[in-house]
């Protein structure tokens, strides 16, 4: 464990020892090795099927391959004198995330349903490097987001000072711009680095029709055949992720035509932005805003701005941005009237509606069933409130439990809500698309839909056992936690999900040990396991100040593999540590 100097003349020495395999590991080895000192590939195969839940997915040949890989890694030999595992080899296999991860790494869900049937990994203000007011605009955060599997990228479009080019920046702030063409080229290069499934670009558009036409040219020149352009002006149903592999999809509000007043003079152009309201609470938002945020109330405001009162004959309202309009596959919009009207499902059209996080909470109180019904066919995007200047985030489960596909997050921020977002999208092989639970997509005989407020019975119980942890001595300096001794680690384990399923537990604290052994078990009854996430966090206990962070992960409960697995931990920003991991067991009752 090393020596820690307390003062000039006094040094504390701590003995470092390798932690022995847990009792459950020893018992499993003895059982499947039939009491012998070595486990064959056939015996390992039985263990993988009966304990690890491998079923028909694992063969004897797969088990043989595991044996060879473990022996090669541990003993650095390519020609094996033996083809069996000792107890230490078996323990090493179980404690290696590379060989024995807690969830699968392949796409396994049905990918042929309409796009609206999936949760989609969604970024907010994807071009910002830091806070919402003064940070640089850059392609770097866009590239990072795409490489971590994000499938929805948001760009805010503004004209440059000469009004002859298009910049991406956070409007009405001090964020220095980046050119749109640079962003588009970076998206093209990195769009499918992490996943072959479609990338959606949501545009917050503040442009004149001339610049919209310029954007259309940029999109065509950059993406070419990759760009998905619908054959009809509006789609009745959106294609599936499978059909849209390696395609780029544009989503914004279609440009409105120039309107001609009764005196024959042309009016100003309508604003076509899908802009997030900044710094306003839902009660402050009025009908003349430039986005499609809703207050969540059911009152109808029929006051219209000057343009909405103008008469316009169809033949006098040409749009110089027709090419741009044809490129918009997912139409966004700000319907007039109440939120209930905005949530109406149209038989011949699919569209996108955006709500702020507060507006969603208010809307859920009054129109919960309408939201669920709307999201069965249409897209709902939720975005952070405008006062999150530091790029913080909000609880994503509020949107998910009502079926919102695009819960938009500040990927440049970090914290427990972003950890939850990362956890959700570790599902389905990390491809960025996660099939919504069937209960959010089904309709009853009287057209009733799932009500997230309904109290449900427990349908499944998850048992979690935390055996031990290791790797901190490799990824941290010896004084990163405590100056005068090794860390005092404990693990927090909890469920994030519907209110009835939320629960937190923690292990005892193991003092002065870089390789803590806890061997503690916790039970979590679940009413909606399909929406539950298992949160794990390791902390170093301090008596006089805040406990030090030692790693975290968030895992989708529905994806957990039964049995004993190595759980890799991540830092505060969601980046994986090289070596830090826990050995845990998962069992469903």
């Amino acid at each position: 464990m090393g020596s820690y100097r307390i003062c000039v003349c006094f040094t504390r020495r701590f003995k470092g020892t390798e932690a022995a395999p847990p009792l459950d590991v020893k018992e499993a080895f003895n059982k499947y090795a039939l009491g012998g000192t070595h486990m064959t590939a056939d015996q390992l195969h039985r263990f993988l099927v009966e304990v690890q839940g491998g079923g028909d997915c694992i063969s004897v040949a797969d088990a043989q391959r595991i044996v060879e890989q473990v022996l090669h890694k541990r003993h650095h030999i390519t020609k094996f004198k033996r083809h069996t595992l000792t107890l230490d080899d078996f323990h090493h296999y179980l404690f290696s995330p590379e060989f024995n991860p807690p969830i699968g790494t392949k796409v396994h869900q049905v990918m042929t349903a309409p796009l609206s049937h999936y949760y989609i990994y969604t970024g907010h203000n994807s071009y910002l490097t830091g806070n919402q007011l003064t940070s640089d605009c850059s392609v770097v955060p866009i590239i990072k987001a795409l490489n971590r599997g994000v499938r929805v990228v948001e760009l805010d479009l503004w004209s440059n000072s000469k009004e002859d080019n298009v910049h991406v920046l956070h409007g009405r702030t001090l964020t220095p711009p980046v050119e749109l063409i640079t962003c588009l080229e970076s998206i093209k290069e990195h769009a499918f680095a992490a996943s072959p499934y479609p990338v959606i670009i949501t545009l917050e558009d503040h442009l004149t029709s001339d610049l919209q036409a310029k954007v259309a040219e940029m999109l065509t020149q950059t993406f070419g055949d990759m760009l998905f352009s619908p054959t009809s002006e509006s789609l009745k149903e959106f294609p599936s992720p499978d059909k849209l592999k390696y395609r780029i999809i544009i989503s914004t509000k279609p440009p409105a035509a120039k309107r001609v007043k009764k005196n024959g003079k042309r009016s100003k152009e309508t604003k076509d932005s899908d802009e997030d309201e900044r710094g306003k609470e839902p009660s402050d938002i009025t009908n003349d805003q430039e986005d499609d945020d809703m207050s969540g109330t059911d009152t109808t405001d029929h006051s219209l701005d000057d343009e909405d009162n103008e008469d316009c004959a169809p033949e006098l309202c040409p749009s110089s941005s027709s090419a741009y309009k044809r490129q918009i596959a997912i139409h966004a919009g700000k319907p007039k009237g109440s939120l209930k009207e905005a949530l109406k499902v149209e038989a011949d059209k699919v569209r996108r509606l955006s709500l702020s996080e507060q507006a969603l909470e208010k809307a859920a109180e009054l129109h919960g069933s309408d939201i669920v019904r709307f999201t069965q066919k249409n897209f709902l995007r939720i975005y952070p409130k405008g006062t999150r200047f530091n790029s913080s985030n909000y609880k994503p489960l509020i949107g998910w439990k009502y079926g919102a596909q695009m819960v938009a997050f500040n990927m440049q921020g970090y914290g427990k809500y972003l950890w939850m977002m990362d956890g959700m999208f570790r599902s389905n092989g990390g491809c960025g698309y996660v099939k919504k639970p069937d209960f959010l997509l089904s309709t009853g005989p009287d057209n009733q839909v799932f009500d997230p407020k309904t109290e449900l019975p427990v349908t499944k119980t998850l048992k979690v056992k935390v055996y031990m942890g290791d790797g901190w001595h490799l990824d941290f300096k010896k004084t990163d936690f405590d100056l005068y001794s090794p860390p005092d680690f404990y693990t927090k384990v909890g469920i994030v999900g519907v209110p009835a399923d939320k629960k937190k537990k923690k292990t005892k604290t193991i003092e002065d040990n870089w390789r803590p052994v806890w061997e503690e078990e916790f039970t979590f009854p679940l009413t909606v396991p399909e929406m539950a996430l298992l949160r794990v966090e390791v902390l170093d206990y301090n008596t006089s100040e805040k406990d030090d962070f030692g790693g975290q992960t968030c895992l989708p409960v529905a994806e957990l593999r039964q049995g004993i697995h190595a759980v890799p931990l991540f830092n505060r920003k969601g980046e994986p540590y090289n070596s830090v991991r826990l050995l845990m067991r998962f069992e469903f009752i």
Side-chain angles (χ1 to χ4, degrees), residues 190-239:
H190 299 274
F192 307 109
S195 168
Y197 293 101
V199 167
I200 301 169
I201 305 176
T202 58
L203 301 178
E204 187 179 294
D205 178 358
H206 304 266
L207 304 175
T208 62
S209 59
D210 290 343
L211 286 177
Q212 287 171 347
K214 189 177 179 98
V215 170
E217 288 180 23
M218 291 183 192
L219 292 172
T220 302
Q221 290 172 5
T222 305
F223 298 118
D225 292 339
M226 293 169 65
L227 197 64
F228 173 72
S229 298
T231 53
S232 60
E233 186 171 319
S234 60
L235 295 168
K236 292 184 179 180
E237 187 176 70
F238 219 78

Side-chain angles (χ1 to χ4, degrees), residues 393-440:
N393 287 300
Y394 52 101
K395 293 179 183 177
L397 277 140
I398 297 172
W400 289 334
K401 70 183 180 182
Y402 285 93
Q405 298 88 346
M406 300 180 185
V407 178
F409 260 40
N410 293 309
M411 295 297 167
Q412 74 276 28
Y414 56 92
K416 64 179 181 179
Y417 297 138
L418 189 54
W419 303 345
M420 294 177 198
M421 178 68 68
D422 288 341
M424 164 65 88
F425 288 101
R426 290 191 178 106
S427 302
N428 202 24
C431 74
Y433 285 83
V434 176
K435 188 78 159 50
K436 293 198 284 188
D438 289 341
F439 59 77
L440 280 173

Side-chain angles (χ1 to χ4, degrees), residues 458-523:
V458 171
T459 60
K460 189 179 286 187
T461 297
L462 171 66
K463 288 175 69 176
V464 176
K465 190 165 186 177
V466 186
Y467 291 110
M468 58 196 298
D470 202 356
W472 288 280
H473 66 293
L474 298 174
D475 291 347
F476 290 82
K477 297 175 183 176
K478 74 175 185 178
T479 55
D480 276 351
F481 295 105
D482 297 323
L483 290 176
Y484 307 119
S485 66
D488 308 319
F489 285 132
Y490 66 93
T491 298
K492 292 166 66 176
V493 184
I495 293 291
V496 179
V498 299
D501 294 346
K502 291 181 183 177
K503 191 172 286 187
K504 295 179 183 178
K505 303 286 184 70
K506 70 175 183 177
T507 67
K508 59 183 176 287
T509 300
I510 304 298
E511 294 184 356
D512 299 334
N513 203 316
W514 284 99
R515 297 185 178 95
V517 176
W518 296 284
E519 297 238 25
E520 293 189 50
E521 188 172 82
F522 307 105
T523 301

Side-chain angles (χ1 to χ4, degrees), residues 4-13:
Y4 292 79
R5 184 174 294 278
I6 296 178
C7 61
V8 176
C9 57
F10 182 60
T11 299
R12 297 179 71 190
R13 289 185 173 85

